[in-house]
């Protein structure tokens, strides 16, 4: 096995989405993409591609039945097969949703229950050594509590801050519980890597705010001291000073790999918001700008300089943990991101892995899972009939060519200094 991690992932999102009748609809991408039926074939495809690591998680909302009550049937069946195939799972424990009995990310009782679940998982599967406790905390809080797309479906800063706080607390408590029982675990914090660009001088102040706020999920998880501006934002929107003090006392950073997820939509132009009283069509404004006055810019800076910003802030080993692109641009996007990884290694940064996410195409991610259109998004290494796409063949070739030839091989001693 190469010391550099080449990975893919099984898309396992499961948020609830508000419906017109007031009843939330559970979205389960494991079901929608056919993984429950075809998981053996999916694992064989990972092996065929020459990939040794798989970001993989079960349906947490179905597994955590209540306090101290768990259903491990899916992982009991699948994880031993990965082990037998020689594929290392990076076990994803919470991916954008919680069980019905928890409610949503506003529930302050959830974090300790989740920590108990996480500990039970690693005790049940002692050969699993790589864990993502909570996937994309920033996005989970943003989409659930500020954009109104998922779960609690709130549209407020107070909702966002409470969700962010609870998600980060669940993440840190889980890491604390796991490291108390097992010292061999490595945590991969898969977080969205964002950057915001001002369209006009008038949007600069808001752009500065958003470029500070993008770090909050990792700041809290890693006990990084935030600015006075961000502290005031958190306190003004419902976080308690005792909660912030608790985060600052935690020391989980040393066990972590900082996972960076980077897509073309991760860079945004901050538009001028309509002035109060200005005559405009609200629907047109919503469609053009999004609920937060942002517009996707595609690749402007790219992964290389943004990843360096995150590294310089936290000084942790990096892993490119997610990217994809629809065909016909997928192969170009693969090589563009891979070139950034190679350049970071040449600059002697400790980048330990790269991931195309996901193995198969996805369903309805073009609407952030908010519409039940059953629309196939051609983002995978293979389609939903389990046939390799062009990007799958390109990634297989990339893995074969680079597996034993990465520049600036980072030794364990050099990694430890970070």
């Amino acid at each position: 096995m190469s010391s550099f991690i080449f990975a893919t992932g099984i898309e396992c999102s499961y948020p609830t989405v508000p419906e017109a009748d007031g009843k939330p609809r559970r979205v389960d991408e494991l079901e929608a993409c056919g993984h429950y039926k075809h998981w053996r074939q999916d694992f064989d495809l990972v092996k065929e591609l020459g990939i040794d690591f798989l970001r993989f998680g079960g349906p947490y909302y179905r597994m955590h039945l209540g306090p101290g009550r768990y259903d491990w049937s899916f992982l009991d069946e699948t994880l031993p097969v990965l082990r037998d195939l020689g594929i290392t799972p990076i076990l994803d424990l919470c991916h954008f949703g919680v069980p019905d009995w928890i409610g949503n990310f506003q529930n302050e009782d959830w974090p300790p229950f989740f920590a108990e679940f996480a500990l039970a998982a690693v005790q049940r599967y002692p050969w699993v050594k790589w864990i993502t406790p909570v996937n994309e905390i920033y996005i989970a809080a943003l989409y659930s509590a500020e954009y109104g797309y998922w779960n609690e479906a709130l549209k407020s800063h107070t909702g966002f801050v409470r969700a962010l706080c609870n998600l980060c607390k669940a993440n840190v408590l889980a890491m604390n519980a796991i490291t108390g029982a097992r010292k061999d675990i490595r945590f991969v914090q898969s977080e969205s890597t964002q950057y915001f660009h001002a369209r006009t001088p008038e949007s600069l102040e808001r752009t500065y705010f958003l470029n500070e706020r993008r770090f909050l999920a990792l700041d809290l998880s890693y006990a990084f001291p935030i600015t006075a501006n961000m502290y005031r934002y958190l306190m003004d929107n419902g976080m308690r000073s005792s909660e912030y003090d608790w985060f600052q006392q935690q020391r989980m950073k040393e066990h972590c790999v900082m996972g960076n997820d980077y897509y073309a939509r991760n860079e945004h132009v901050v538009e001028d918001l309509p002035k109060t009283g200005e005559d405009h069509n609200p629907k047109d404004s919503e469609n053009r700008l999004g609920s937060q006055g942002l517009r996707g810019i595609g690749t402007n800076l790219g992964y290389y300089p943004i990843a360096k910003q995150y590294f310089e802030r936290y000084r942790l080993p990096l892993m490119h943990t997610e990217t994809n692109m629809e065909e016909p641009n997928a192969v170009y996007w693969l090589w563009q991101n891979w070139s950034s990884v190679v350049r970071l290694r040449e600059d002697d940064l400790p980048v330990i892995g790269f991931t195309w996410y996901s193995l198969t195409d996805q369903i309805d991610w073009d609407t952030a899972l908010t519409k039940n259109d059953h629309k196939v998004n051609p983002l995978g290494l293979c389609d939903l009939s389990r046939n390799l796409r062009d990007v799958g063949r390109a990634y297989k070739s990339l893995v074969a060519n680079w597996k034993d030839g990465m520049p600036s091989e980072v030794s364990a001693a050099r990694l430890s200094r970070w």
Side-chain angles (χ1 to χ4, degrees), residues 88-106:
T88 300
I90 302 174
L91 188 60
D92 191 329
L93 298 179
C94 177
H95 203 117
F96 295 149
V98 292
D100 291 341
W101 64 274
I102 290 295
N104 54 53
F105 294 129
Q106 299 298 302

Side-chain angles (χ1 to χ4, degrees), residues 153-171:
L154 297 177
K155 296 182 180 182
S156 68
H157 287 293
T158 55
F160 169 78
V161 168
R162 176 46 48 200
L164 182 81
C165 182
N166 291 344
L167 283 154
C168 288
K169 190 172 184 180
N171 187 48

Side-chain angles (χ1 to χ4, degrees), residues 31-49:
E31 176 68 40
C33 301
H35 184 69
Y36 291 136
K37 294 181 179 179
H38 304 294
W39 61 266
R40 289 182 184 274
Q41 186 178 0
D42 289 346
F43 293 171
D44 287 340
L45 280 167
V46 174
K47 199 68 179 175
E48 178 188 335
L49 288 162

Side-chain angles (χ1 to χ4, degrees), residues 137-138 160 164 168 191-196 207-227 230 234 258 260 305-314:
I137 291 171
Y138 174 85
F160 169 78
L164 182 81
C168 288
E191 275 298 315
S192 182
T193 305
Q194 304 273 318
Y195 194 81
F196 299 86
T207 303
Y208 294 150
F209 164 77
L210 291 170
N211 274 324
E212 279 193 86
R213 195 178 73 157
R214 65 186 166 130
F215 292 119
L216 279 178
L218 292 175
D219 286 349
L220 295 177
S221 294
Y222 295 154
F224 188 88
I226 61 176
T227 65
M230 282 296 101
L234 292 173
M258 181 176 54
N260 300 145
I306 298 176
K308 288 193 79 169
Q309 290 177 356
Y310 279 74
F311 172 75
E312 288 164 3
R313 189 177 185 90
Y314 303 111

Side-chain angles (χ1 to χ4, degrees), residues 292-305:
Q292 297 301 302
L294 306 175
R295 178 169 55 83
I297 195 175
T299 303
N300 189 15
L301 296 179
Y303 177 69
Y304 170 79

